[in-house]
Amino acid sequence: MTTTVKSIVNQPYKYGFVTQIESDTIPAGLNEDVIRLISAKKNEPDFMLDFRLRAYRQWLKMEDPRWAAVSYPPIDYQSIVYYSAPKQKEKLKSLEDVDPTLLETFEKLGIPLSEQKRLSNVAVDAIFDSVSVATTFREKLAEHGVIFCSISEAVREYPDLVQKYLGSVVPIGDNYFAALNSAVFSDGSFVYIPKNTKCPMELSTYFRINNGESGQFERTLIVAEAGSSVSYLEGCTAPMFDTNQLHAAVVELVALDNAEIKYSTVQNWYAGDKEGKGGIYNFVTKRGLCQGVNSKISWTQVETGSAITWKYPSCVLVGDNSVGEFYSVALTNNHQQADTGTKMVHIGKNTRSTIVSKGISAGQSKNSYRGLVKIGPKAEGARNYSQCDSMLIGDNAGANTFPYIQVQNNTAKVEHEASTSKIGEDQLFYFAQRGISMEDAISMMISGFCRDVFNQLPMEFAVEADRLLSLKLEGSVG
Amino acid sequence: MIIENSPVILSVKNLTATVDETLILKGMNLEIRAGEIHAIMGPNGSGKSTFSKVLAGHPDYKVTGGEVMYLGQNLLDLEPEDRARSGIFLAFQYPLEIPGVSNLDFLRVAYNSKRKHEGLEELDAFDFDELIQQKLDVVKMDTSFLNRSVNEGFSGGEKKRNEILQMALLDPKLAILDETDSGLDIDALKIVANGVNQLSRADNAMLVITHYQRLLEYIVPDYVHVMANGRIIRTGSKDLALELEERGYDWVLDEEAVAS
């Protein structure tokens, strides 16, 4: 291995720093009192506390799912802190009121929040441990009737909308982690796009876990009214700790007639060290409901971080002619484990879905695609195309593909293609013999492999995703 | 062409090398000067391909003794990519397929790596496009080749022509052709040989590794070496190749056995 490669390999996780800030943290542990306390801290209306308690009681009766191709020791839910918020003034009038330490933290993460430096056409909601610390461009969005705020504010200020849609796509008892999230979620983003409105800028939420003991349980709800459209992006990082932290999020999307939601994720949670110590357990439920006719929901994800990823962004295609898409790149290195994929549930007529999944496994990692395509009895003329490609780097990584296909309507058309390839030493030698460095060689091969997915990302993030993948992989061969 | 007192490009002395702990090269000696075309022939398993891979720096091949000087510097000190950038080109016997990477991108990055190494400015996409169009003529390749993934789905002949295209672009000081004739029909062979002949000049050199005399009808060598058991056992002119074609290798091996 050349020295440059070595130095890049040994480069520490860039976002692994801890911000020293005074926090309002409740003691570890979970019971009904803790849930009441969280709800009280957030001044929630009764319906919300009721929602949480119902979810908690369901969760108590459920079991940790173990069907995914990942292994980890049992999680002690009583050792997790369920609420931790940086101490700052009660009500923030403007960004000037945000603790400078927090602004600095986000700036270091490449997400400037201050007026002068912010990204020009992207509105950002910044979430630090359990709370949202700032949301940019709110006034500008409000001019168009677009609501973009933290879910906590939405619960207080738009209770009717929240009550109508929260839990409508992912019911409280949907699965173990969704139930837990419904009971204890502390913050997240809320987006509402009114009728016939094209959201004038990209919306984005940046999630940061800072506290070593706290879990992050965020909740995102996006509602696109008839004829509206929005593109939303989330990014995530966390400091390096030796212990594992739990991140159990729920994202719900609702698209009404002719509405379109594009949801992109670049996930770079701390993945643990080379020996597999530490890292985030990322157990996430994401689901979109194409409720209206001709509606469209598109998920794009670039998953590079986390010790364990358990995540299946799904589309429920109820409206006739609605469209669901899933574009995914999942990269695992060292001892990372990923079990990720999607569910496309076709209910309405002429519904269409596309799945493009690219799994890259290096080191001793394990990377599985798990996907369900379900065509209901009334889904006349439904179509699905799935393509699942795996790339192995080195000899010790593993890749699995678990496609589940259920068809109950004989007019449906379902296609599935899969391939496995390998970046081998001989290919790298071929590049080297033409004068191309190992770094450039890997980066070219990975870009080529991921092109179909990167093309779906907003431009500035596509470049970032490309760079991130190359960085994560360098030194994994040779 | 043999030019009196032309500079030495490659000098190999007593080179030994192993693959998976097995000794394959057992004392190679070879000197190549600018302007010359050398052919190495020999039976299967004699170490011909190993020699080419050792020169190019393949990581599976370990040099255990001897020295290799290239243009006055110790070649064995250089990483494979630096050998390439300083003008060593290996046309692969089995060119690798690189899915997802377009031939055009591959060629441009390779070419610019060399430019950078030479302290020259990298060519942008437009200038490079102009350059590569000229090179395509050398191997009579269509522009559509550029947009396909490197070697993916190429026929055997197309792959070999693609190797020569890369060679034409990178303009090496020392080109090593490892069994470039294998798997070629006569038309493709002529195109490849013609390409190589166009690139041969007084200031560079070629090392042609082949199993058969056939290629040497089109690429005429100045020297023919017979390799057996990890060493060069006989060197002659192009006539040696014809003799080998007629009589096989056994007589050379027998004479060698008697001599030692």
Side-chain angles (χ1 to χ4, degrees):
Chain A
M1 213 188 310
T2 58
T3 42
T4 42
V5 175
K6 265 186 192 148
S7 66
I8 293 165
V9 178
N10 296 330
Q11 180 176 312
Y13 176 65
K14 201 170 140 194
Y15 307 104
F17 63 90
V18 181
T19 306
Q20 296 305 330
I21 190 160
E22 209 183 329
S23 302
D24 172 13
T25 302
I26 64 171
L30 184 57
N31 53 49
E32 288 202 6
D33 287 341
V34 168
I35 290 166
R36 285 175 209 279
L37 183 61
I38 293 172
S39 189
K41 276 188 178 293
K42 304 181 92 61
N43 288 320
E44 288 178 349
D46 289 344
F47 83 85
M48 208 55 249
L49 176 61
D50 181 54
F51 180 94
R52 289 175 182 279
L53 289 173
R54 275 188 291 132
Y56 176 66
R57 287 165 196 156
Q58 282 254 27
W59 180 71
L60 286 177
K61 288 183 234 158
M62 299 171 87
E63 270 181 37
D64 185 350
R66 287 288 170 165
W67 42 261
V70 296
S71 58
Y72 56 96
I75 297 169
D76 178 6
Y77 292 91
Q78 296 305 332
S79 71
I80 294 172
V81 170
Y82 289 87
Y83 186 87
S84 173
K87 269 190 187 160
Q88 51 180 1
K89 286 172 208 151
E90 268 303 294
K91 184 81 189 165
L92 297 175
K93 289 254 162 7
S94 72
L95 277 166
E96 277 72 72
D97 295 338
V98 176
D99 188 323
T101 323
L102 289 174
L103 293 180
E104 224 170 82
T105 300
F106 281 98
E107 198 151 312
K108 241 168 123 176
L109 297 169
I111 313 291
L113 300 172
S114 60
E115 297 279 347
Q116 309 85 352
K117 294 178 187 166
R118 61 176 57 157
L119 302 167
S120 57
N121 203 34
V122 183
V124 179
D125 185 17
I127 296 188
F128 190 87
D129 285 339
S130 305
V131 295
S132 164
V133 295
T135 310
T136 64
F137 287 115
R138 290 178 60 163
E139 293 78 15
K140 189 175 170 202
L141 289 167
E143 286 167 22
H144 297 265
V146 171
I147 303 171
F148 181 39
C149 64
S150 71
I151 193 101
S152 309
E153 284 175 271
V155 166
R156 291 190 299 266
E157 288 167 33
Y158 311 100
D160 294 348
L161 281 174
V162 172
Q163 198 165 4
K164 182 172 175 188
Y165 290 109
L166 195 73
S168 71
V169 184
V170 179
I172 50 174
D174 186 79
N175 67 69
Y176 187 79
F177 296 107
L180 177 64
N181 173 286
S182 300
V184 303
F185 75 87
S186 41
D187 222 331
S189 299
F190 175 72
V191 175
Y192 176 81
I193 315 290
K195 264 187 189 166
N196 301 322
T197 303
K198 184 178 185 305
C199 186
M201 56 176 72
E202 297 269 341
L203 304 183
S204 157
T205 301
Y206 195 86
F207 296 99
R208 174 73 177 171
I209 298 180
N210 190 57
N211 186 313
E213 282 81 44
S214 78
Q216 193 172 54
F217 303 93
E218 91 267 1
R219 186 99 193 181
T220 297
L221 174 61
I222 299 178
V223 179
E225 288 280 8
S228 71
S229 69
V230 61
S231 169
Y232 176 94
L233 185 123
E234 61 173 4
C236 340
T237 58
M240 297 189 282
F241 293 114
D242 287 347
T243 50
N244 297 105
Q245 292 152 279
L246 180 62
H247 171 254
V250 172
V251 175
E252 295 176 279
L253 313 181
V254 180
L256 299 174
D257 290 355
N258 303 301
E260 188 174 335
I261 302 175
K262 186 175 168 61
Y263 192 106
S264 314
T265 303
V266 176
Q267 186 263 106
N268 188 19
W269 293 121
Y270 178 53
D273 68 11
K274 274 191 185 159
E275 277 71 49
K277 204 167 167 69
I280 303 285
Y281 289 168
N282 192 32
F283 297 106
V284 173
T285 306
K286 292 184 168 176
R287 194 173 303 153
L289 176 63
C290 282
Q291 194 175 312
V293 296
N294 305 318
S295 57
K296 178 176 174 185
I297 289 179
S298 178
W299 299 99
T300 304
Q301 60 172 23
V302 178
E303 302 282 323
T304 66
S306 298
I308 297 177
T309 297
W310 180 100
K311 181 182 168 189
Y312 315 90
S314 306
C315 296
V316 182
L317 306 170
V318 173
D320 291 347
N321 309 317
S322 62
V323 176
E325 294 177 337
F326 174 74
Y327 296 95
S328 169
V329 167
L331 177 145
T332 53
N333 198 354
N334 298 322
H335 291 270
Q336 281 178 276
Q337 306 175 61
D339 192 296
T340 184
T342 184
K343 284 190 274 186
M344 293 291 173
V345 181
H346 294 251
I347 295 170
K349 292 186 178 65
N350 298 315
T351 46
R352 280 170 293 147
S353 64
T354 303
I355 299 171
V356 177
S357 163
K358 306 278 180 175
I360 303 163
S361 359
Q364 286 84 44
S365 69
K366 238 165 59 174
N367 198 330
S368 304
Y369 167 81
R370 188 183 302 277
L372 168 71
V373 175
K374 187 175 179 175
I375 312 281
K378 290 179 181 154
E380 298 286 329
R383 276 186 294 158
N384 162 267
Y385 171 73
S386 303
Q387 185 189 336
C388 301
D389 298 325
S390 308
M391 180 177 266
L392 297 170
I393 301 180
D395 296 324
N396 301 314
N400 297 309
T401 302
F402 303 105
Y404 304 86
I405 298 170
Q406 298 169 7
V407 179
Q408 293 168 303
N409 184 305
N410 59 16
T411 64
K413 209 171 138 191
V414 177
E415 292 173 73
H416 181 96
E417 284 180 29
S419 77
T420 303
S421 55
K422 196 174 166 194
I423 291 188
E425 217 168 56
D426 279 330
Q427 276 175 320
L428 289 172
F429 177 65
Y430 191 60
F431 277 92
Q433 217 303 304
R434 299 302 181 249
I436 302 172
S437 68
M438 191 191 286
E439 289 86 343
D440 287 346
I442 292 177
S443 154
M444 285 171 84
M445 283 191 275
I446 294 296
S447 300
F449 182 68
C450 300
R451 187 167 302 127
D452 296 348
V453 175
F454 286 172
N455 283 346
Q456 300 295 324
L457 284 174
M459 239 267 272
E460 51 275 61
F461 299 106
V463 176
E464 175 66 17
D466 207 2
R467 202 190 56 82
L468 182 65
L469 286 198
S470 311
L471 204 75
K472 287 244 160 187
L473 276 177
E474 271 160 10
S476 49
V477 192
Chain B
M1 74 202 83
I2 298 174
I3 307 165
E4 198 109 354
N5 290 326
S6 78
V8 175
I9 288 191
L10 184 78
S11 159
V12 179
K13 285 185 185 143
N14 291 319
L15 182 67
T16 57
T18 59
V19 186
D20 294 333
E21 320 264 304
T22 307
L23 189 64
I24 307 283
L25 296 186
K26 302 173 181 170
M28 278 292 285
N29 289 291
L30 181 65
E31 187 174 271
I32 299 180
R33 289 172 180 268
E36 296 171 354
I37 298 178
H38 289 241
I40 294 185
M41 302 182 73
N44 282 330
S46 56
K48 303 187 300 286
S49 275
T50 296
F51 182 53
S52 70
K53 296 233 169 70
V54 168
L55 292 180
H58 193 291
D60 287 353
Y61 298 77
K62 305 275 174 260
V63 172
T64 51
E67 67 165 44
V68 181
M69 297 301 285
Y70 169 70
L71 297 174
Q73 58 182 334
N74 183 355
L75 183 71
L76 304 176
D77 283 347
L78 300 180
E79 294 288 341
E81 56 268 38
D82 289 325
R83 298 182 192 195
R85 290 168 193 160
S86 46
I88 288 187
F89 182 91
L90 172 62
F92 283 58
Q93 182 177 6
Y94 304 107
L96 279 286
E97 298 191 1
I98 316 284
V101 176
S102 83
N103 220 4
L104 184 66
D105 284 346
F106 183 78
L107 292 164
R108 192 178 59 237
V109 174
Y111 184 70
N112 279 331
S113 300
K114 188 175 178 228
R115 301 257 313 173
K116 223 167 124 185
H117 182 79
E118 289 165 353
L120 297 170
E121 210 174 304
E122 296 180 30
L123 284 196
D124 65 23
F126 298 104
D127 289 341
F128 183 76
D129 201 51
E130 247 172 63
L131 174 73
I132 196 69
Q133 295 299 341
Q134 302 163 15
K135 303 292 176 190
L136 283 169
D137 289 344
V138 176
V139 281
K140 300 192 166 45
M141 274 166 92
D142 189 82
T143 314
S144 65
F145 268 92
L146 299 176
N147 298 321
R148 291 165 64 182
S149 293
V150 180
N151 295 328
E152 195 184 32
F154 283 28
S155 71
E158 287 171 339
K159 282 182 183 173
K160 296 295 170 78
R161 275 153 71 187
N162 204 20
E163 293 291 287
I164 305 305
L165 172 66
Q166 295 175 31
M167 180 174 149
L169 175 70
L170 297 171
D171 191 21
K173 278 271 172 236
L174 175 64
I176 305 159
L177 289 85
D178 186 8
E179 310 236 359
T180 297
D181 51 334
S182 67
L184 287 190
D185 60 38
I186 196 73
D187 292 332
L189 184 75
K190 278 181 185 165
I191 292 172
V192 164
N194 187 36
V196 171
N197 288 330
Q198 283 184 52
L199 298 168
S200 174
R201 292 191 310 257
D203 65 343
N204 63 16
M206 311 264 171
L207 178 60
V208 181
I209 292 169
T210 181
H211 204 71
Y212 302 104
Q213 195 268 339
R214 189 177 68 150
L215 179 66
L216 303 180
E217 287 172 20
Y218 301 97
I219 302 174
V220 181
D222 301 303
Y223 297 97
V224 173
H225 309 277
V226 179
M227 205 173 157
N229 200 18
R231 286 184 302 123
I232 287 175
I233 56 168
R234 179 172 295 222
T235 295
S237 67
K238 65 178 192 321
D239 299 336
L240 179 57
L242 291 170
E243 202 173 352
L244 289 169
E245 181 82 355
E246 251 169 53
R247 299 175 60 190
Y249 289 108
D250 287 349
W251 63 274
V252 195
L253 300 179
D254 291 344
E255 284 182 19
E256 164 69 8
V258 171
S260 60

